[in-house]
Amino acid sequence: MTETSLAALAGQIRIWGRELGFQQIGITDCQLEEHGERLRAWLAAGYNGDMEWMGAHGEKRWRPDLLQPGTLRAISVRLDYLPPDTEPVRVLKDADKAYVSRYANGRDYHKLIRKRLAQLAQKIDAWCDERGIESSGRAFTDSAPVMERALAEKAGLGWIGKNCMVINSGAGSWFFLGEIYTNLALPVDRPQEINQCGDCSACLKVCPTDAFVGPYQLDARRCISYLTIENKGPIPEQFREPMGNRVFGCDDCQIICPWNRFAKPTAEKDFHPRHGLDDGELLALFGWTEQEFLDRTAGSAIRRIGYERWRRNLAVALGNSTPGPEVIAALENALVDATPLVAEHIEWSLGRLRSGRRRKRKIRRA
Ligand code: SF4
């Protein structure tokens, strides 16, 4: 395939990607050794907690050709997800509301992005077929050992900020990423955005559990997203108070980032809030039966933590809410048939509420 044809195809990929609803499309080579080194050091420090899958695939994570033989390029795409008219700060400040990470207010993004990436891959294959060119590709979105952020940065979609998120100077960081690995030697995009974090360290300072070991380094074991989603066991006591009302994930390091002034609300209906999950009352959510949980989180990322962990998280948040007879009664009633995991968190919350203790906002690393 000539360079001219490859350049023409790269231009087409950008057009098709836009037509499919992606806000940005970039192409990069697969040289990720430097990022692989950093990942190895991060794993060696134990910052991945129980996420053993982060290290389970070894070199496949930073050697795309080992994951998908023949891969020469990665096509990286961006899909914005910030729901319109959302008020994350107001909800965070209201101790009686449940804060759900903005990415999880609507439908699970995996299916939607995978479907669109598959359509994009089909268009590439059809274009190549017509010209007798052999092409093969594989689409991913948070579904395999792929260094999504590193690839996005190399493909020019933004820079990896001190909060470890990809930041785009025109769009902030409220977006999902997806990739197609391809055997086609497409022309690569140069990283267009230099790192513009500068002297800012707002995200590091605002983290309620002091989870950043330093710039660009997160200790997942302290991160509220990890503690409320990935962690299957008890939430360590030292983190319960700073968790506040965050019951599924945490967005503090994105909310504070000045570049998110430039984020635009998504037009994707699938990402708009469902069942009031962007502004729910803690007590109302705690009142859901298991069947209600299953019904109302069908097709949502929340579903994957299951009812028990959902109640564990809500129990902690209620312990940080405004003390009152209604909250205490709800927790006491729930003790009757609570699993040992949930019961232990309820007891912690009841202890706090009965003694009238209110939450403090932050803890600091010892
Ligand atoms: S808050 Fe500041 S330091 Fe953190 S990612 Fe944004 S610009 Fe960078």
Side-chain angles (χ1 to χ4, degrees):
M1 197 166 175
T2 64
E3 278 188 22
T4 314
S5 309
L6 286 164
L9 176 55
Q12 271 303 323
I13 290 170
R14 267 176 257 282
I15 294 168
W16 292 328
R18 288 263 178 196
E19 287 169 356
L20 287 166
F22 296 118
Q23 276 72 46
Q24 202 177 354
I25 301 98
I27 299 167
T28 174
D29 63 45
C30 299
Q31 304 303 311
L32 293 169
E33 279 73 17
E34 188 191 319
H35 292 274
E37 280 299 311
R38 268 187 244 146
L39 175 66
R40 271 195 287 233
W42 185 78
L43 291 167
Y47 294 148
N48 56 322
D50 291 335
M51 295 186 291
E52 279 160 19
W53 48 268
M54 289 289 294
H57 301 279
E59 286 186 50
K60 277 188 186 167
R61 200 170 279 275
W62 59 91
R63 293 266 315 272
D65 59 321
L66 292 182
L67 186 65
Q68 175 68 13
T71 298
L72 291 175
R73 300 285 185 264
I75 301 164
S76 177
V77 300
R78 184 189 111 212
L79 188 64
D80 297 346
Y81 67 73
L82 187 68
D85 305 321
T86 193
E87 296 179 276
V89 176
R90 178 181 58 75
V91 179
L92 264 183
K93 283 186 174 166
D94 187 337
D96 301 322
K97 297 264 184 189
Y99 188 84
V100 172
S101 194
R102 299 293 97 167
Y103 84 85
N105 289 167
R107 281 190 181 278
D108 196 343
Y109 61 98
H110 291 87
K111 251 193 213 163
L112 182 142
I113 299 185
R114 211 176 297 131
K115 190 171 153 202
R116 294 203 188 159
L117 285 174
Q119 289 171 321
L120 182 56
Q122 277 166 12
K123 285 176 186 285
I124 296 170
D125 287 344
W127 191 96
C128 289
D129 273 355
E130 281 170 21
R131 289 157 182 82
I133 298 159
E134 203 182 312
S135 74
S136 68
R138 187 171 161 195
F140 306 97
T141 181
D142 194 20
S143 55
V146 172
M147 299 192 98
E148 296 203 295
R149 294 175 193 188
L151 289 168
E153 184 180 60
K154 279 170 66 70
L157 270 54
W159 72 91
I160 298 176
K162 290 180 189 173
N163 63 358
C164 306
M165 307 295 289
V166 178
I167 318 272
N168 180 289
S169 60
S173 64
W174 303 97
F175 50 78
F176 297 121
L177 296 170
E179 304 77 28
I180 295 175
Y181 281 2
T182 174
N183 68 328
L184 301 164
L186 297 161
V188 299
D189 294 306
R190 299 282 157 229
Q192 289 161 10
E193 302 222 60
I194 52 160
N195 188 316
Q196 295 185 64
C197 283
D199 292 337
C200 177
S201 56
C203 53
L204 311 183
K205 290 181 194 144
V206 81
C207 177
T209 47
D210 204 20
F212 291 101
V213 186
Y216 314 104
Q217 278 217 66
L218 179 77
D219 183 349
R221 297 168 300 182
R222 302 178 69 97
C223 172
I224 293 172
S225 283
Y226 170 83
L227 293 167
T228 56
I229 299 172
E230 303 291 343
N231 165 41
K232 296 183 175 71
I235 294 168
E237 271 200 48
Q238 60 173 324
F239 301 126
R240 293 183 191 176
E241 197 170 278
M243 227 176 92
N245 61 351
R246 300 164 189 83
V247 299
F248 188 91
C250 175
D251 289 329
D252 289 36
C253 66
Q254 294 201 86
I255 292 170
I256 198 84
C257 180
W259 293 100
N260 272 322
R261 279 175 306 184
F262 305 111
K264 291 160 196 76
T266 180
E268 298 288 348
K269 289 272 186 295
D270 273 1
F271 300 154
H272 291 194
R274 302 164 76 218
H275 305 295
L277 279 167
D278 62 330
D279 195 19
E281 296 284 340
L282 285 171
L283 264 181
L285 300 186
F286 194 64
W288 285 3
T289 62
E290 184 160 13
Q291 193 54 52
E292 283 169 324
F293 170 79
L294 293 172
D295 291 344
R296 290 171 192 178
T297 59
S300 151
I302 297 172
R303 188 89 178 271
R304 76 185 173 105
I305 67 169
Y307 188 56
E308 186 184 39
R309 279 189 263 166
W310 173 246
R311 286 183 74 71
R312 173 199 65 184
N313 298 346
L314 282 163
V316 172
L318 281 169
N320 293 324
S321 70
T322 312
E326 222 188 328
V327 180
I328 290 175
L331 287 166
E332 284 173 343
N333 291 339
L335 263 182
V336 177
D337 57 0
T339 63
L341 176 74
V342 176
E344 189 256 311
H345 291 76
I346 291 178
E347 295 285 10
W348 176 84
S349 291
L350 283 171
R352 281 171 61 75
L353 293 168
R354 287 181 184 133
S355 67
R357 282 175 68 196
R358 300 298 306 273
R359 67 179 171 158
K360 292 181 221 142
R361 298 292 301 177
K362 270 181 77 78
I363 55 167
R364 299 289 345 154
R365 187 175 284 273

